[in-house]
Amino acid sequence: MKALLSCSLITPTYNWPEALELLLLSILNQSQLPNEVIIADDGSRAETKLLIESFQKKFPVPLVHIWHEDNQNQKPAIMNKAIAASKYNYIIEIDGDIIMNKNFVKDHLTFAQKGHYLFGSRATIQEKLLPDLFSNKIISFSFFSKGIKKRSRTIRFPLLMHLAKSIEKRSKKLRGCNMSFWKSDFIKINGFNEDLVGWGIDDSEMIQRLHNIGIRGKRLKYSGIAYHIYHKEQSKSHLDINNEIEKQTTEQKLTFIEKGINQYL
């Protein structure tokens, strides 16, 4: 069995410390810990800072808090800052409203492959379960757990990953809440595009540029299990603009953007 990689686990967050707490508890429950955890904070209030400080006292690996001032949704910028600060050559990206199966990190590292990125799916924790979820700090789920949607995505059978094929084109099933990639590949395309603002498209536009330089995808099925905590949809007011930027990236086969991670390296 190959030795597992060193990695940085990076998650964006914004003013939802209750969800971030469960994510951090699920990191502590991992069968394979990341080498560091970086919280990319898009301008949260003091409650988030206090939560992170309380975890830093007991966390077994470095827990780094990178914050910038709140200027509406600036996720690409804060993620670029966080990845620029990361110390390891493989990046696992999850959202701040995700609870990870205990083998989540192990699965990403087991199936990491040069010339590829990985992307997984998510089961959904329904709204009706949220009061119990937060009051009892639930971080363990199974196929039989109550309040779960898309239940088939809770099944873990990593042996089937040996049948997974490389994907030459960006999948419509890509979700930034559950993916991983090589930091060196990310730097080659200059990271996230900070011309994208508001909700949506930042992850898929970045991944399109990876494909444009010849990096392939591989979907994590029956591995990398993640549970997404229900929340109301964010504003999609900038989605048309962001979609147009992604369309240009795809059609013109763009590989590098002007405003990206190079500002912070």
Side-chain angles (χ1 to χ4, degrees):
M1 184 176 178
K2 69 176 183 179
L4 294 181
L5 298 166
S6 298
C7 75
S8 301
L9 180 73
I10 299 181
T11 180
T13 194
Y14 178 72
N15 281 332
W16 200 7
E18 296 85 357
L20 181 61
E21 181 180 16
L22 297 185
L23 182 152
L24 291 171
L25 289 172
S26 75
I27 294 173
L28 291 174
N29 194 43
Q30 291 296 296
S31 61
Q32 172 70 37
L33 286 169
N35 297 84
E36 66 177 353
V37 175
I38 302 179
I39 298 171
D41 188 344
D42 195 18
S44 298
R45 295 184 293 269
E47 294 90 340
T48 294
K49 181 175 184 287
L50 292 172
L51 172 73
I52 294 168
E53 287 175 347
S54 71
F55 271 88
Q56 285 172 329
K57 297 173 184 177
K58 59 186 177 183
F59 228 67
V61 298
L63 177 59
V64 181
H65 183 200
I66 293 183
W67 180 92
H68 64 191
E69 289 188 5
D70 188 358
N71 185 21
Q72 299 181 336
N73 190 323
Q74 296 290 325
K75 180 189 165 191
I78 196 62
M79 287 296 289
N80 280 337
K81 292 171 185 176
I83 294 174
S86 65
K87 295 181 177 179
Y88 297 96
N89 60 0
Y90 198 70
I91 306 296
I92 301 176
E93 178 188 339
I94 57 171
D95 278 352
D97 52 15
I98 290 289
I99 298 172
M100 297 176 291
N101 171 274
K102 68 178 183 179
N103 292 304
F104 182 91
V105 170
K106 179 182 178 181
D107 288 344
H108 272 271
L109 298 182
T110 297
F111 299 110
Q113 183 179 349
K114 283 290 187 180
H116 290 74
Y117 66 91
L118 299 174
F119 64 102
S121 55
R122 62 188 189 182
T124 302
I125 301 169
Q126 294 177 288
E127 183 179 12
K128 64 184 180 182
L129 190 65
L130 265 53
D132 192 35
L133 180 80
F134 292 127
S135 62
N136 293 311
K137 303 187 191 309
I138 300 170
I139 60 167
S140 294
F141 301 91
S142 72
F143 180 84
F144 302 103
S145 296
K146 295 179 180 179
I148 299 293
K149 282 181 67 177
K150 300 180 180 177
R151 196 170 294 274
S152 64
R153 296 178 181 178
T154 68
I155 299 170
R156 182 174 180 269
F157 193 48
L159 281 175
L160 292 178
M161 270 301 294
H162 296 293
L163 302 175
K165 296 179 180 179
S166 296
I167 299 171
E168 293 186 3
K169 293 185 178 181
R170 175 172 51 88
S171 171
K172 293 181 180 179
K173 296 180 179 179
L174 178 82
R175 296 291 182 272
C177 64
N178 182 354
M179 67 185 193
S180 60
F181 45 84
W182 298 92
K183 184 177 178 179
S184 58
D185 292 337
F186 185 81
I187 291 173
K188 283 178 187 175
I189 61 166
N190 207 19
F192 288 110
N193 188 345
E194 294 184 22
D195 286 332
L196 295 164
V197 294
W199 180 88
I201 306 301
D202 48 292
D203 291 300
S204 59
E205 193 275 339
M206 182 274 287
I207 289 294
Q208 183 60 52
R209 280 181 280 120
L210 285 182
H211 279 284
N212 291 348
I213 65 168
I215 304 300
R216 297 184 176 193
K218 189 168 279 190
R219 188 181 179 200
L220 283 170
K221 294 189 71 173
Y222 305 109
S223 300
I225 308 300
Y227 299 87
H228 175 249
I229 303 171
Y230 168 86
H231 58 79
K232 293 180 180 178
E233 287 193 347
Q234 297 186 43
S235 169
K236 297 182 180 180
S237 59
H238 289 83
L239 200 53
D240 288 345
I241 298 170
N242 290 354
N243 276 325
E244 185 59 33
I245 292 173
E246 182 182 73
K247 182 181 177 183
Q248 291 177 8
T249 297
T250 304
E251 293 180 350
Q252 298 176 23
K253 300 188 183 302
L254 301 180
T255 60
F256 197 87
I257 38 89
E258 181 179 346
K259 196 175 180 183
I261 194 174
N262 60 356
Q263 302 168 90
Y264 317 111
L265 294 173

